[in-house]
Amino acid sequence: IISVLSVNQILLLLLVLTVCAILYNKVHQVSSALKNEAVDLETPEEMEEEIPVVICAAAGRMGAAIAAISSIYSNTEANVLFYIVGLKTTIPHFRKWIENSKLKEIKFKVVEFNPMVLKGKIRQDASRPELLQPLNFVRFYLPLLIQKHEKVIYLDDDIIVQGDIQELFDTKLAPGHAAAFSDDCDLPSTHEMVRSVGMQNTYMGFLDYRKQAIRDLGISPSTCSFNPGVIVANMTEWKHQRITKQLEKWMLRNVEENLYSSTLGGGVATSPMLIVFHRKYSTINPMWHIRHLGWSPDTRYSEHFLQEAKLLHWNGRYKPWDYPSVHTELWETWFIPDPSGKFKLTRPDS
């Protein structure tokens, strides 16, 4: 009996050891598989940094956004994701334009902007009605439109990019800064143009210093302004500092007190940003925002200077898809005609 029990115990022990060995191998194989899967997920192609670029597609100027996107896409190897912001009525046209051109290869998301968020926040200004278009205020609401990114580039539509957008994305933002802009006093080669066409490059040109609310800010009227047509933004800081709420506060105050909309600068989207970001922004390399190309139909930059520029901005009334305007040949290099024929360039012989 004792010998029979011993044999049975030995067999049971062997069976337990065999089961344990099988289970160990199974667990080890699963663990190895998970490790391999993790390695596969971290391949360079998968981990490549995505560069989100926000551009608006407004009715009547969709060709501008097309040229901007075309120039960015053609001059970089970076992994760019375009966020194209439009109104419900314009989005279908713009989508077809992209899908029926060489831009069909780009990565893009279409975001619909609801102009109702601006209700009661914009003071009507008959002198520059185009500045009151809803999409001019998209830059105020970046965190609401772009959810998953830490860092975002916002660009006006009247620009073209001649450099690699990766360089602009790599702009360093100081701790505590929600955005980086270009100072309006930072590029000596543009100063002569600024003087010759009477452009504003200080806070005096954008805020009405006759108003007590403006004087109470304690900002010197000779402080250099900045241009919010090119922004590198940190979404975490933007939300933490409640930048959108601050901007809306100054929009409402302007409706009540007319603090800036009738001043020389005219930019109702620029003035609240000048207030909210005063001394709280980092700077963009000046060559990444050569502006004022749309301020005069006569004043031109040197060709050599423009070739060195990384980004050109036709801010002002004289746009490169209209006539008259300057340096249109640089802009047209990147323009892609509208397959539907709705958007046409205005030219002296057209």
Side-chain angles (χ1 to χ4, degrees):
I1 295 171
I2 293 171
S3 61
V4 171
L5 286 173
S6 298
V7 170
N8 286 340
Q9 286 172 339
I10 292 168
L11 289 173
L12 182 60
L13 180 61
L14 289 173
L15 179 62
V16 169
L17 290 173
T18 303
V19 170
C20 288
I22 291 169
L23 288 174
Y24 174 81
N25 285 333
K26 288 287 185 187
V27 171
H28 184 68
Q29 286 169 5
V30 169
S31 175
S32 298
L34 288 172
K35 285 179 183 175
N36 289 337
E37 189 174 336
V39 170
D40 290 340
L41 287 172
E42 293 174 4
T43 56
E45 292 77 19
E46 293 285 337
M47 294 301 289
E48 185 182 1
E49 188 172 34
E50 198 168 59
I51 299 179
V53 177
V54 179
I55 294 181
C56 296
R61 46 194 291 163
M62 282 189 271
I66 286 289
I69 292 169
S70 172
S71 68
I72 294 165
Y73 179 65
S74 301
N75 288 308
T76 187
E77 296 293 324
N79 181 20
V80 180
L81 172 60
F82 293 97
Y83 282 88
I84 299 160
V85 186
L87 303 181
K88 192 172 186 178
T89 52
T90 60
I91 286 173
H93 180 192
F94 198 82
R95 188 187 288 277
K96 285 183 181 177
W97 197 335
I98 288 177
E99 291 173 350
N100 289 286
S101 73
K102 67 180 183 181
L103 293 180
K104 63 179 177 287
E105 302 297 329
I106 70 170
K107 288 171 59 180
F108 73 98
K109 292 183 179 179
V110 173
V111 181
E112 182 183 332
F113 183 69
N114 184 356
M116 288 305 293
V117 301
L118 302 172
K119 189 175 181 181
K121 300 184 183 78
I122 301 176
R123 185 184 183 90
Q124 297 304 309
D125 189 347
S127 64
R128 294 290 300 278
E130 74 276 12
L131 296 175
L132 302 177
Q133 296 301 317
L135 295 181
N136 278 340
F137 300 92
V138 161
R139 70 199 91 190
F140 288 16
Y141 297 95
L142 291 176
L144 301 181
L145 299 168
I146 314 302
Q147 300 292 337
K148 67 171 187 171
H149 301 282
E150 169 76 7
K151 197 175 188 182
V152 172
I153 294 173
Y154 167 87
L155 299 174
D156 276 354
D157 60 0
D158 51 355
I159 64 101
I160 61 164
V161 171
Q162 300 186 134
D164 185 342
I165 198 74
Q166 180 76 53
E167 289 181 32
L168 181 60
F169 188 72
D170 289 342
T171 298
K172 294 284 189 291
L173 273 68
H177 285 175
F181 307 97
S182 291
D183 277 327
D184 283 332
C185 311
D186 61 6
L187 201 58
S189 47
T190 68
H191 291 175
E192 185 56 42
M193 179 176 274
V194 169
R195 285 192 293 271
S196 67
V197 297
M199 284 177 291
Q200 303 301 316
N201 64 357
T202 65
Y203 274 55
M204 175 66 87
F206 294 90
L207 305 178
D208 189 347
Y209 276 83
R210 296 170 297 179
K211 301 295 171 69
Q212 188 62 43
I214 297 301
R215 294 200 300 272
D216 287 346
L217 290 169
I219 301 173
S220 168
S222 62
T223 301
C224 184
S225 54
F226 58 80
N227 186 298
V230 176
I231 307 172
V232 180
N234 180 308
M235 295 292 92
T236 301
E237 280 295 335
W238 193 292
K239 288 182 278 193
H240 175 69
Q241 297 178 33
R242 297 168 62 84
I243 296 294
T244 297
K245 289 293 182 187
Q246 291 188 58
L247 292 167
E248 287 184 327
K249 181 189 99 171
W250 284 102
M251 292 169 76
L252 288 167
R253 289 200 67 174
N254 183 58
V255 171
E256 297 163 1
E257 304 173 51
N258 194 19
L259 300 176
Y260 50 76
S261 61
S262 62
T263 56
L264 289 170
V268 290
T270 298
S271 300
M273 296 198 88
L274 291 177
I275 295 171
V276 171
F277 283 101
H278 177 242
R279 291 186 175 175
K280 294 179 184 173
Y281 65 93
S282 299
T283 54
I284 290 170
N285 180 334
M287 296 305 286
W288 267 100
H289 196 176
I290 303 304
R291 44 211 180 274
H292 314 315
L293 277 75
W295 275 82
S296 166
D298 306 308
T299 309
R300 299 174 66 92
Y301 285 115
S302 77
E303 295 303 321
H304 175 72
F305 177 67
L306 292 178
Q307 287 170 8
E308 296 294 314
K310 305 286 190 178
L311 182 150
L312 303 177
H313 188 184
W314 279 262
N315 58 312
R317 294 174 186 264
Y318 303 98
K319 304 300 185 185
W321 55 90
D322 282 335
Y323 180 84
S325 58
V326 296
H327 303 297
T328 54
E329 69 287 349
L330 290 172
W331 182 86
E332 276 193 59
T333 298
W334 307 109
F335 175 67
I336 299 169
D338 182 359
S340 74
K342 292 176 185 175
F343 182 94
K344 294 182 173 66
L345 303 182
T346 305
R347 295 293 180 256
D349 53 353
S350 62

